[in-house]
Amino acid sequence: MPGALTAQSEARPALSRALAAATAVTVPAGASGSEGPADDLTGTLAEALDAEGVAVHRPQLGTLVATVPSDAEARREARAAVEAVDEEAVRLRSAVKAQDGFFTTFCISPYSRYIARWCARRGLTPNQVTTASLLTALIAAGCAATGERGGYIAAGVLLLVSFVLDCTDGQLARYSLQYSTLGAWLDATFDRAKEYAFYAGLALGAARNGDDVWALALGAMVLMTCRHVVDFAFYEATYDATAGKSATAALSGRLDSVGWTVWARRIIILPIGERWAMIAVLTAATSPRIVFWALLVGCAFAACYTTAGRVLRSVIRKAKRTDRAAQALADLADSGPVASLVARVLGRPGARGAGVVFAAVATGGLLFAVLDRPFGDRQTVIAALGYAVLAGAAVARPLKGALDWLVPPLFRAAEYTTVLVLAARSDSAHALPAAFGLVAAVAYHHYDTVYRIRGGTGAPPAWLVRVTGGHEGRTLLVVALAALLADRGDDFTLALTALAVAVALVVLVESIRFWVSSGAPAVHDEGETA
């Protein structure tokens, strides 16, 4: 794992200096009590590492006991304290995420932890619970697809049951210490599969009642995926960046000291618990159109809120990005053969931070052309070619600018929205469902890239990106197909369907092969509420 080795090698000089500083401290003679020489050395070492800019994790012990006794009386007290700990209660508490959304923390976790213990005592594995959660969500999507009120009510109830099981699988893994690469991969990918399958079920149910909401369903998926890419790209850009504390971060810290503001800020970003609860309730009580409009409004507000805060933080802090961060952003950009060729030809033009400017101009120009020109207009093909060239210019220089983490989200917005707009404006029957399938397949590829990077294994193989065309190649292909097939009935729908199937087969086969056979340390974000 080159990324992990690089991070370790970069930390070694700081660790050496911190050890030298810590061991240079003279411990007072006759020190006693629980804070003995070992505690002094540990504290000094942690402070020295902090001074070197190395992040130090300080776990909250809670009711656990950690002490270094210095005499017989201290040892007796330590043993008594250890024996007084209720290990089962600690296991149950530790099975729940330290940080989670309001709905999950107060409405699900108080009882789902006991379901996890019940599963553990009967020999069930986290992967089995994860699979049960997926199957429940798929049944919920099938109920929603009936288009009947009874089906909608059953779908809402089953979606909540699926979410309870989704929480239970992780709690079961933590309670029973059953961690696996396959389990982490399943947990990371099934969340998106369940949510997007439910969107499709709602759209099918609405169509049975004569209400075409496929454009809203696809729009909700596009918005949700782009929002997640913003989260992922910002995380990778700032993971090991060095900078002083910004005013926005200081304000956030002050707000954290006021308990209710923590929960308020977690609720308004509409994490998975609140989002699924809203979807379930609105599905049972209203119509698919209302569900999707609520999703679009809520997620748009959440995306604006989080993105604006991160932009301000990035501009104020002016953090120094590392080579690792720049490579991660380049991998997330998903540049195909055309953009890669342009990047090599141009070399490294422009100043640092120009990447986001090129990406913004490319995205804006393409979307303006697609929205402004009639469906199938040849000028949109020229705009798509310009997009591919500017996309290459955006990644020609390492993405180390303050706002270069916006490059991958801009590319996702350009590709997904282009597919959405062309399908919506096409006269071809069922073009929007086909576009939904295409965006779902491509989004899976982008999520898979994220979790490979976070697992320390790097991006998917270069051949996979070349075969799937990269973001600019797929965008150019869809625009060209629209221009060629504009007057040929359902041929555009067939072309989108064929492209969706081809992309899905390639990325799924490679992804399954990688996660099942490679032994890579797949990572799911335990601290984040997606």
Side-chain angles (χ1 to χ4, degrees):
M1 295 185 293
L5 294 176
T6 302
Q8 292 174 4
S9 63
E10 290 176 352
R12 286 191 188 112
L15 180 59
S16 300
R17 292 190 295 270
L19 283 171
T23 53
V25 175
T26 303
V27 178
S32 59
S34 61
E35 294 187 1
D39 290 308
D40 289 338
L41 179 60
T42 302
T44 305
L45 178 58
E47 293 175 0
L49 284 171
D50 275 334
E52 289 288 341
V54 178
V56 178
H57 179 57
R58 295 176 172 85
Q60 299 295 322
L61 294 177
T63 57
L64 297 178
V65 178
T67 183
V68 182
S70 58
D71 53 34
E73 178 62 20
R75 283 193 294 273
R76 185 188 66 78
E77 293 177 355
R79 289 195 183 97
V82 170
E83 292 172 357
V85 174
D86 186 343
E87 294 185 7
E88 179 61 19
V90 171
R91 289 181 67 190
L92 278 174
R93 281 195 300 271
S94 61
V96 179
K97 285 183 182 181
Q99 295 182 355
D100 219 328
F102 180 88
F103 179 76
T104 305
T105 300
F106 294 102
C107 300
I108 304 297
S109 293
Y111 59 87
S112 61
R113 69 183 75 181
Y114 296 102
I115 300 176
R117 181 173 66 181
W118 183 89
C119 293
R121 291 176 176 177
R122 282 153 183 80
L124 297 177
T125 66
N127 291 351
Q128 291 171 334
V129 178
T130 301
T131 303
S133 176
L134 173 65
L135 293 175
T136 304
L138 293 179
I139 295 173
C143 291
T146 63
E148 300 177 356
R149 177 52 53 195
Y152 288 150
I153 294 174
V157 172
L158 288 173
L159 188 64
L160 289 177
V161 172
S162 175
F163 183 66
V164 171
L165 293 174
D166 183 59
C167 296
T168 300
D169 62 1
Q171 292 168 357
L172 174 59
R174 288 183 286 271
Y175 178 85
S176 57
L177 301 180
Q178 298 182 70
Y179 302 105
S180 70
T181 296
L182 178 61
W185 172 69
L186 292 176
D187 191 40
T189 55
F190 279 10
D191 280 351
R192 303 287 80 80
K194 289 180 287 189
E195 188 167 1
Y196 298 157
F198 195 81
Y199 291 178
L202 285 174
L204 288 170
R208 287 179 176 272
N209 295 316
D211 189 13
D212 187 353
V213 297
W214 276 107
L216 295 178
L218 181 51
M221 182 167 65
V222 169
L223 180 58
M224 186 61 58
T225 305
C226 290
R227 173 189 166 189
H228 284 152
V229 175
V230 169
D231 297 339
F232 297 142
F234 182 78
Y235 174 87
E236 293 300 332
T238 58
Y239 175 75
D240 51 4
T242 57
K245 192 171 184 180
S246 67
T248 53
L251 175 61
S252 178
R254 288 195 296 271
L255 288 175
D256 285 342
S257 64
V258 184
W260 68 268
T261 65
V262 175
W263 295 116
R265 285 185 292 153
R266 291 185 188 179
I267 291 172
I268 63 176
I269 64 172
L270 209 63
I272 187 170
E274 279 73 2
R275 193 166 67 250
W276 281 30
M278 182 184 74
I279 294 172
V281 172
L282 291 179
T283 297
T286 63
S287 66
R289 180 172 291 273
I290 293 177
V291 173
F292 286 125
W293 274 116
L295 268 174
L296 288 168
V297 172
C299 291
F301 175 81
C304 292
Y305 170 78
T306 55
T307 304
R310 288 164 179 170
V311 168
L312 285 174
R313 195 177 307 173
S314 299
V315 172
I316 294 173
R317 292 184 66 190
K318 297 181 180 178
K320 182 179 180 181
R321 313 294 185 196
T322 64
D323 291 338
R324 175 203 168 279
Q327 184 59 52
L329 292 178
D331 292 335
L332 289 174
D334 191 32
S335 299
V338 178
S340 298
L341 176 62
V342 172
R344 286 195 298 271
V345 171
L346 294 180
R348 296 186 175 185
R352 177 177 295 181
V356 68
V357 176
F358 282 118
V361 173
T363 299
L366 174 64
L367 295 183
F368 176 80
V370 171
L371 290 167
D372 181 66
R373 306 303 301 173
F375 176 78
D377 190 278
R378 298 298 191 271
Q379 292 187 24
T380 57
V381 179
I382 298 175
L385 285 169
Y387 169 78
V389 172
L390 289 173
V395 296
R397 183 181 177 88
L399 299 175
K400 294 185 177 183
L403 296 177
D404 279 352
W405 54 271
L406 287 169
V407 170
L410 285 170
F411 288 160
R412 297 297 82 77
E415 179 181 2
Y416 299 162
T417 306
T418 296
V419 175
L420 166 60
V421 172
L422 290 178
R425 300 183 70 178
S426 168
D427 293 330
S428 179
H430 308 300
L432 278 168
F436 188 96
L438 175 59
V439 173
V442 175
Y444 175 86
H445 165 58
H446 291 142
Y447 280 113
D448 185 56
T449 300
V450 167
Y451 289 109
R452 292 199 197 203
I453 293 173
R454 291 202 172 183
T457 60
W463 69 262
L464 179 66
V465 179
R466 287 195 298 269
V467 168
T468 56
H471 71 94
E472 83 289 351
R474 290 186 299 269
T475 302
L476 181 58
L477 176 59
V478 171
V479 172
L481 288 172
L484 291 172
L485 306 176
D487 301 320
R488 296 180 57 179
D490 292 338
D491 285 358
F492 184 60
T493 295
L494 294 175
L496 288 180
T497 303
L499 182 58
V501 171
V503 172
L505 284 176
V506 172
V507 299
L508 279 173
V509 169
E510 162 56 22
S511 177
I512 293 172
R513 180 209 64 78
F514 175 79
W515 290 116
V516 172
S517 64
S518 69
V523 176
H524 186 59
D525 304 300
E526 291 297 327
E528 296 184 1
T529 53

